[in-house]
Amino acid sequence: MSRIQSVFATLKAQGKKALIPYITAGDPHPDHTVPLLHALVEAGADMIELGVPFSDPMADGPVIQRASERALVHKMGLRKVLAMVKAFRETNQTTPIVLMGYANPIEAMGSAQFVALAKDSGVDGVLTVDYPPEECEVFNQQLAAADIDSIFLLSPTTEPSRTELIVKQATGFLYYVSLKGVTGAANLDIVEVKKRVADIRKQTSMPIGVGFGVKDAATAREVAAIADAVVVGSRMVLAIESSDAGNLVANVQALMHELRAAIDSV
Amino acid sequence: MQVYDMPDEHGHFGPFGGVFVSETLVEALDELRVMYEKYRHDPEFLAEYAYDLKHFVGRPSPIYHAKRLSDKVGGAQIYLKREDLNHTGAHKINNTIGQALLAKRMGKPRVIAETGAGQHGVATATIAARLGLECVVYMGAEDVKRQAPNVFRMKLLGATVVPVESGSKTLKDALNEAMRDWVTNISNTFYIIGTVAGPHPYPMMVRDFQAIIGIEAKEQMQEMIGRQPDAVVACVGGGSNAMGIFYPYIDVEGVRLIGVEAGGHGLSTGQHAAPLTANSPIGVLHGNRTYLMQDEDGNIIETHSISAGLDYPGVGPEHAWLKDINRAEYVAITDEEAMAAFHNLCRTEGIIPALESSHALAYAEKLAKTMSPDQVVLVNLSGRGDKDINTVARLANISL
């Protein structure tokens, strides 16, 4: 059982839902990232999505794009991101880390080398935004051979026949994008999300995380009632953006406590 | 000879092309692919497209024998395919009409576009006005400043121009932003991509709509000189005008196809936009796999060219394929060489070429010199240079 699967199994046994915060590696400065990862765990993260900065983050909204730009000022490349995961693993062997990013940095490194380094660094899952299942067969096999989970997105426009195809290749959990648009876009329609998540459950028993529109404790609570995991990205990055080095950890943890309480109240 | 038949059904040109997009865009691209397959051979659709090309654009565009230029250069005869004489002044309109007619059939009342120099934006705004479609054009904030007349032109045509402040504030960022708009407004919006890049079916569809250039050229050359040219030369940014004139020639033996990239300040300076000539690595950007200018971490690097229309870090996937199978050759021309060719055509032929097209002219001059006077070089004169007079004046320290 992978680290991701065992987290979901444990939570399920406890009747709890997962809280998955997203941060971009190297934002606001590379020195902050590893301490932030530990701070997130301390404040209740069950799993962490760590964004790999990219110059052209097409599927992200302005908030996460700015995070990428801040990180890239410090030449925050994929190798450095993997080194951060390795540093985090020195004192944490339980919290899964999912890398979220785009195909080009992986292809620039070479997918085989990336998978080997990711394995060595203690990465648990990889979500490559612009790798739909049709375009990443070899990469997916390489990840599977290394026991790293392949996380795939499902969107409001994904047809059931396509969900079938994606479910076959996905491992760990499925990430349902709660709205039409980019990360951090308009408010999600909870009734629609509920219906879609119910439909997806008819096709798979894999855990389902929901993200792209969770803005506050209220939406986190609503999503937790439906999904197995709540992913909070842009809101988390906003907390980082509006902090300085002195109150960064405190602000991020305050937001985490709020979200944790909301999710656990379900 | 084997008949060229690319891309495959998934949009792959060998290892290039494909559909590298977020799941949120897959459904929209599937819909587009199905609708394009339905209409690309539909007689009624093609008749409407042909009617607009003739009566709205003014096609066929002539081929002109640049005798004085040929004599001055000394060597092969230089012929120009006059895309600069199209309505709106460039080849871009061939494609925007095709896609806008498709948008109309798909019931999408709103079209969006990205633009660099502004030519594709103007061509999109033009056809949107003619068809009564809402039009939003994304343009890098830097380009908005550099291309003020085209921004105003788009506004006159009723389009909304959105300056993009992210990243390098140029064409690639405008494309990112247009993709974001599309994913958010998929149900009522058609994204008119201006070049042979983007996810499948765009590279194929844009090529097909631009192929009219090469189809006409083949007939016209036969009429004018009784045979086909020895070489066809076109500039390549994303590569739509080049693909348009190359495509009908791919299966014609004995015709060299030469794409001219923007060499900027010179390949050795790193400040250029010539991924094919500079042997850039293969990567994934804007929905397809192709040769890409990038750093060792896989981040896209900023490009430089005097010509905004060529200032793009990637290249259409079919050009990458034509390079790999050795069917087309790719070379680079510097800013300085392009400027010299610009002035040369103005003075010897009374034609002001676009700075993009001036790259093709500059290489054609070099090539013609090495050939004999009974040989023929056909240059795709993809656009007129009125839009560039501010840039040219600024370089000469003249204020208009």
Side-chain angles (χ1 to χ4, degrees):
Chain A
M1 195 185 277
S2 74
R3 204 148 32 198
I4 291 175
Q5 287 163 343
S6 82
V7 163
F8 277 111
T10 308
L11 287 171
K12 195 173 183 184
Q14 297 168 346
K16 287 175 72 178
K17 300 299 174 75
L19 171 56
I20 310 180
Y22 165 99
I23 62 170
T24 299
D27 172 37
H29 187 281
D31 292 347
H32 292 298
T33 303
V34 176
L36 260 180
L37 293 174
H38 289 299
L40 289 168
V41 174
E42 195 184 281
D46 298 298
M47 199 180 302
I48 297 169
E49 263 189 28
L50 186 60
V52 180
F54 181 49
S55 54
D56 293 77
M58 246 168 47
D60 285 297
V63 173
I64 290 180
Q65 176 161 29
R66 287 200 299 272
S68 249
E69 286 175 5
R70 285 193 292 270
L72 288 175
V73 167
H74 304 288
K75 303 260 172 246
M76 192 66 213
L78 185 50
R79 270 169 212 284
K80 291 183 188 166
V81 177
L82 291 169
M84 286 173 169
V85 177
K86 193 164 187 170
F88 171 76
R89 280 276 170 261
E90 283 170 14
T91 50
N92 182 320
Q93 287 86 42
T94 53
T95 311
I97 298 276
V98 173
L99 291 189
M100 184 165 180
Y102 292 79
N104 202 53
I106 293 172
E107 297 211 348
M109 182 182 279
S111 64
Q113 198 191 347
F114 165 73
V115 171
L117 269 176
K119 180 75 191 166
D120 176 64
S121 308
V123 168
D124 299 285
V126 176
L127 195 177
T128 312
V129 178
D130 50 353
Y131 261 165
E134 294 89 342
E135 299 285 6
C136 63
E137 220 173 298
V138 172
F139 181 56
N140 228 11
Q141 286 163 5
Q142 289 167 332
L143 287 174
D147 289 320
I148 296 175
D149 284 317
S150 286
I151 318 298
F152 281 93
L153 298 174
L154 290 173
S155 93
T157 53
T158 307
E159 298 281 343
S161 59
R162 209 178 147 72
T163 302
E164 196 62 44
L165 170 84
I166 293 169
V167 161
K168 276 189 193 140
Q169 297 211 32
T171 57
F173 69 98
L174 290 162
Y175 186 140
Y176 178 70
V177 174
S178 62
L179 41 83
K180 292 178 189 168
V182 293
T183 51
N187 294 319
L188 58 85
D189 175 351
I190 199 71
V191 178
E192 172 68 14
V193 174
K194 188 171 183 172
K195 184 184 165 299
R196 295 286 311 191
V197 169
D199 287 345
I200 297 166
R201 289 206 196 279
K202 287 177 198 157
Q203 295 183 258
T204 179
S205 56
M206 219 180 303
I208 300 171
V210 170
F212 269 47
V214 181
K215 286 183 148 28
D216 49 25
T219 42
R221 187 183 301 116
E222 286 179 327
V223 168
I226 298 163
D228 302 296
V230 182
V231 187
V232 185
S234 294
R235 181 66 192 85
M236 200 60 63
V237 171
L238 270 180
I240 293 171
E241 188 171 57
S242 59
S243 302
D244 54 40
N247 59 20
L248 179 65
V249 166
N251 288 352
V252 166
Q253 287 194 324
L255 174 62
M256 282 294 292
H257 289 309
E258 211 179 296
L259 295 165
R260 183 80 255 177
I263 290 170
D264 290 343
S265 72
V266 170
Chain B
M1 189 177 177
Q2 208 183 349
V3 175
Y4 181 86
D5 182 23
M6 292 298 244
D8 69 14
E9 61 175 319
H10 302 292
H12 294 122
F13 301 87
F16 306 108
V19 185
F20 292 88
V21 296
S22 160
E23 189 56 34
T24 45
L25 272 177
V26 169
E27 182 63 23
L29 286 164
D30 274 349
E31 184 194 8
L32 178 61
R33 191 173 43 75
V34 168
M35 294 305 267
Y36 181 58
E37 279 305 323
K38 180 177 167 188
Y39 287 113
R40 64 187 294 206
H41 302 300
D42 177 61
E44 216 172 289
F45 177 80
L46 292 174
E48 196 176 346
Y49 174 62
Y51 182 92
D52 271 7
L53 288 185
K54 183 175 176 186
H55 297 279
F56 190 61
V57 178
R59 302 201 73 91
S61 65
I63 284 187
Y64 169 73
H65 182 191
K67 286 203 189 85
R68 266 176 41 89
L69 179 68
S70 306
D71 288 347
K72 187 177 173 191
V73 168
Q77 301 305 310
I78 298 173
Y79 284 71
L80 308 176
K81 177 64 172 161
R82 300 290 308 274
E83 290 299 299
D84 60 315
L85 294 176
N86 292 338
H87 179 40
T88 72
H91 71 290
K92 292 289 185 188
I93 190 99
N94 303 330
N95 167 52
T96 59
I97 287 181
Q99 292 196 46
L101 290 177
L102 194 56
K104 210 176 74 175
R105 275 174 172 67
M106 289 170 72
K108 310 273 185 186
R110 180 174 181 269
V111 295
I112 58 171
E114 85 294 338
T115 197
Q119 290 307 101
H120 173 59
V122 168
T124 303
T126 297
I127 189 64
R130 176 163 131 47
L131 296 176
L133 303 167
E134 183 191 345
C135 179
V136 177
V137 178
Y138 290 92
M139 191 167 183
E142 277 301 314
D143 291 333
V144 168
K145 270 189 266 170
R146 290 192 288 196
Q147 310 286 339
N150 269 344
V151 174
F152 188 58
R153 210 166 280 153
M154 288 182 262
K155 289 180 179 168
L156 287 175
L157 292 160
T160 305
V161 179
V162 182
V164 177
E165 300 282 353
S166 57
S168 57
K169 304 180 187 183
T170 59
L171 177 59
K172 77 174 177 69
D173 309 284
L175 216 150
N176 291 335
E177 208 57 37
M179 284 278 184
R180 293 181 181 122
D181 178 314
W182 197 31
V183 79
T184 311
N185 301 295
I186 266 169
S187 53
N188 73 342
T189 299
F190 188 106
Y191 179 15
I192 299 184
I193 292 185
T195 191
V196 286
H200 180 64
Y202 282 103
M204 173 179 82
M205 182 168 69
V206 176
R207 173 200 73 192
D208 292 350
F209 288 135
Q210 292 293 1
I212 186 68
I213 304 172
I215 292 168
E216 286 175 3
K218 268 170 87 174
E219 273 180 34
Q220 292 165 318
M221 292 309 294
Q222 194 62 42
E223 266 172 39
M224 289 179 82
I225 62 170
R227 65 180 183 92
Q228 295 305 327
D230 299 285
V232 175
V233 180
C235 63
V236 176
S240 70
N241 88 80
M243 238 12 267
I245 197 164
F246 287 179
Y247 184 57
Y249 276 109
I250 289 175
D251 284 337
V252 182
E253 280 181 69
V255 179
R256 286 173 69 187
L257 304 177
I258 304 169
V260 184
E261 296 188 299
H265 295 316
L267 296 191
S268 60
T269 65
Q271 293 179 304
H272 58 83
L276 292 176
T277 317
N279 291 314
S280 296
I282 293 169
V284 171
L285 181 70
H286 296 150
N288 69 89
R289 183 180 279 131
T290 188
Y291 290 103
L292 264 188
M293 290 176 60
Q294 52 184 307
D295 65 17
E296 68 279 6
D297 289 326
N299 286 304
I300 309 309
I301 54 180
E302 290 191 18
T303 52
H304 166 80
S305 170
I306 192 176
S307 132
L310 302 183
D311 208 350
Y312 182 69
V315 63
E318 194 161 13
H319 285 295
W321 176 241
L322 291 177
K323 183 193 179 194
D324 273 23
I325 63 169
N326 294 314
R327 179 57 189 100
E329 307 154 53
Y330 294 87
V331 297
I333 282 292
T334 63
D335 289 351
E336 210 175 312
E337 292 170 318
M339 279 306 306
F342 171 91
H343 289 298
N344 212 11
L345 195 72
C346 290
R347 299 290 179 93
T348 57
E349 296 288 354
I351 298 171
I352 302 178
L355 287 178
E356 289 79 9
S357 321
S358 299
H359 287 72
L361 288 164
Y363 188 75
E365 290 182 18
K366 277 191 188 179
L367 179 67
K369 275 188 194 130
T370 68
M371 296 164 72
S372 64
D374 60 344
Q375 289 185 297
V376 170
V377 175
L378 173 63
V379 179
N380 196 14
L381 192 65
S382 55
R384 68 175 183 225
D386 306 54
K387 69 181 175 63
D388 294 315
I389 56 172
N390 288 315
T391 306
V392 175
R394 199 169 55 240
L395 284 168
N397 284 318
I398 297 166
S399 64
L400 296 179

